[in-house]
DNA sequence: TCGCGCATGGCAAGCGATTGCCAAAAGTTG
DNA sequence: CAACTTTTGGCAATCGCTTGCCATGCGCGA
């Protein structure tokens, strides 16, 4: 492997007949060095195959040009959009992208932040499971932005599932449904709360009965329990915490001989890969999750400059929209 | 954010009444310091909330406790298994995990390796698009392991798609098919070559006609072109480069009124999320991809010690197995 | 001609750990 | 008890870059 000695600022400096500081500035602060000198230094550097050592640079300057994205569950296709968007935005700025997996645990999340602290310039937390208090406290010492979670005083980018839930209710209401049950996700999930808040508020407005069951494991495997519970509830429309759960429910309902959408309607959230080709194709609340990931990184990168300018952190809200497919239909008699 | 001054070895040293070197050793080389002293140092460190700065440590020691996984395409669910496995194995060893996305480009891959070089202890390349020559050359200066790609002299972990392809042919042959067409993936894809090699060899052995078409974009969107081309070929069995392509083909075939599996049979590779609930459910060659990701990291971590012991790099081959679902059936008359 | 300011480059002190080497203390052995 | 080994801790150099501060030289106005 690497028995090769990489060249350093000093090698370049010697070869170019300047001081190391000049080499450093030629790369990082062009205005600080004469254009001719700079050109010369860059040429020599090129010839020697010099690349600045990011570790040494970070150690001295405190800037790592690296960010970390922490997600609760790598297995969940829902996060792929966020991951892609975040990675793309980071690499567009030449920033190294660390992916951390917190296993749906707030402690784990906290631990990763502490561990990575010095190695990154900041964190993007996707669907963070930490309490508001813990989050705020950590934010005092660590640069961070949230995705699909809002906490007072912190920059965040969310897909408006709360508001979007209204679209679900309107859709169901127009199909004649009078009762809906929400199959809830993890208890610490801010999104689960938002979704329920949106659903119950909208249901209230149009006189529809709304109940909540759960929590259920937000995976395909959780669908069986959710479907059974939903059937017992007597509601005609089932809204699942996410598409994985919804797909699992569809499967269970089919097993039990319940016809969707004739007997019951099913709605999910996220519009994940597969939502369009499961059977029946799933009606679901889609959102620009890739965009949210991108925005999360953007907010993080801007945070320091905004704070310096005395501006408040931004809370970006991206619109969600309902994709109507085959899993919803008129309420049964 | 972080106006806080983190404590350093020196703070701990002063507070504990020892030298900084002792503090350092208390953490990294326990045998080198008396058990009582060590305990004391650790207590003081704990009290001061000391955490070693990984950057400073890496700069001096050359060890970063970080690895990078490079994948061609974050959007492809096929890689999720690999990513999960690799992440899990890395974090089990307390190793920071960098995810890089190479956009199916060999140049990009190379550039990332050069860029990250000093920041990581090594690279795991998943389905690398680089030529053997480039790979070997880079491997001289960089610690790396391959997943789903074999190159002479480098450690690798692959899912045996070449061998597994025989299972596909056997399955199709037993259903009476006499001709098969392979809808190929990216030209630089080693896997695509392996799959075709396996298919054509096995087909030859049982007197089945095998042809190859393509390359096609290995995504759902590529399925339409692939399906149309496959139909023209006249073969009764279609083997797609991966499940995404296969799902796209199923969709196109349905549009065109071709019934699967009655009129044609379709097989994919990877058994991705969704392969079991698309319609018809997809027959596909499944493999332990998570395991492959894990093994890739494992090989990387062991590489240095094995090289020191004069052992040759290992080439791990993990078995694939055919999952028969509804997209394959008896050959039409 | 003198003085002043600005552009440019160099010096050297860090950043926070690791580690080779040395010395003192403690333990072993005959 | 002398001589020798082993254990343990400290010193100080080092990893490669950044950056505050100083020195030089030049242009330019008065």
């Amino acid at each position: 492997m690497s028995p090769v000695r990489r060249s350093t600022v000093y090698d370049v400096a010697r070869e170019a007949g300047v001081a190391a500081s000049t080499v450093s500035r030629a790369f990082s602060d062009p205005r600080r060095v004469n254009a001719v000198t700079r050109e010369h230094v860059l040429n020599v550097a090129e010839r020697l195959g010099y690349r600045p050592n990011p570790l040494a640079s970070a150690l001295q300057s405190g800037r790592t040009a690296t960010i970390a994205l922490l997600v609760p569950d790598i297995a969940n296709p829902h996060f792929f959009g966020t991951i892609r968007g975040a990675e793309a935005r980071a690499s567009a700025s030449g920033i190294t992208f660390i992916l951390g997996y917190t296993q749906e645990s707030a402690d784990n999340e906290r631990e990763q932040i502490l561990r990575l602290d010095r190695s990154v310039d900041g964190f993007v937390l996707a669907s963070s499971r930490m309490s508001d208090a813990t989050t705020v406290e950590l934010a005092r010492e660590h640069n961070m932005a949230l995705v699909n979670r809002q906490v007072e005083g912190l920059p965040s980018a969310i897909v408006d599932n709360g508001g979007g839930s209204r679209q679900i209710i309107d859709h169901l209401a127009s199909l004649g449904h009078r009762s809906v049950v929400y199959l809830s996700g993890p208890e610490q999930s801010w999104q689960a709360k938002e979704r329920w808040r949106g659903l119950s508020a909208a249901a209230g407005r149009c006189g529809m009965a709304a109940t909540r069951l759960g929590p259920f494991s937000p995976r395909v495997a959780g669908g069986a329990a959710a479907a059974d519970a939903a059937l017992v509830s007597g509601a005609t429309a089932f809204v699942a915490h996410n598409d994985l759960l919804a797909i699992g429910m569809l499967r269970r309902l089919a097993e039990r001989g319940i016809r969707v959408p004739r007997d019951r309607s099913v709605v999910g959230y996220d519009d994940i890969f597969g939502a369009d080709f499961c059977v029946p194709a799933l009606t679901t609340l889609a959102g620009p999750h890739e965009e949210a990931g991108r925005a999360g990184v953007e907010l993080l990168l801007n945070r320091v400059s905004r704070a310096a300018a005395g501006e408040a952190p931004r809370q970006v809200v991206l619109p969600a929209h309902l994709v109507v497919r085959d899993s919803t239909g008129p309420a049964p008699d």
Side-chain angles (χ1 to χ4, degrees), chain A residues 24-160:
Chain A
S24 172
R25 291 198 265 254
F27 280 89
S28 54
D29 190 359
R31 303 163 322 182
R32 194 62 181 63
V33 38
N34 186 286
V36 179
T37 316
R38 172 154 193 266
E39 193 60 27
H40 175 224
V41 169
L42 260 33
N43 280 334
V44 173
E46 168 78 34
R47 182 154 49 80
L48 298 187
Y50 167 75
R51 287 186 176 243
N53 182 328
L55 267 48
S57 163
L59 179 58
Q60 165 62 24
S61 70
R63 284 168 271 115
T64 60
T66 303
I67 62 162
L69 171 70
L70 266 31
V71 301
D73 179 9
I74 301 196
N76 189 335
H78 159 59
F79 291 109
F80 300 148
T82 309
I83 296 177
R84 280 177 70 186
E87 198 281 339
R89 180 62 190 80
S91 86
S93 291
I95 286 178
T96 299
F97 183 74
I98 290 183
L99 179 64
Y101 168 37
T102 64
Q103 306 179 82
E104 307 269 4
S105 144
D107 286 350
N108 215 310
E109 212 164 324
R110 191 189 142 86
E111 178 51 31
Q112 294 237 26
I113 291 175
L114 263 30
R115 200 173 65 79
L116 290 174
D117 178 34
R118 316 304 305 265
S119 313
V120 305
D121 290 340
F123 299 87
V124 176
L125 309 187
S127 301
S128 171
R129 300 293 186 242
M130 295 191 298
S131 70
D132 280 20
T134 309
T135 309
V136 166
E137 180 184 328
L138 283 172
R140 255 202 294 280
E141 297 197 0
H142 310 272
N143 188 20
M144 53 202 239
L146 307 175
V147 169
N148 283 335
R149 168 76 182 268
Q150 283 181 337
V151 171
E152 179 71 31
L154 292 187
S156 61
I158 66 164
V159 171
D160 187 17

Side-chain angles (χ1 to χ4, degrees), chain A residues 2-3 6-7 21 45 86 136 147 184 232 234 242 269 282 284 291 311 330:
Chain A
S2 333
R6 301 251 177 281
S7 41
S21 48
V136 166
V147 169
S184 179
V232 169
N242 66 15
Y269 284 89
L282 192 64
T284 182
E291 184 53 35
E311 301 174 61

Side-chain angles (χ1 to χ4, degrees), chain A residues 126 159 263 267 327:
Chain A
V159 171
D263 301 331
V267 182
S327 66

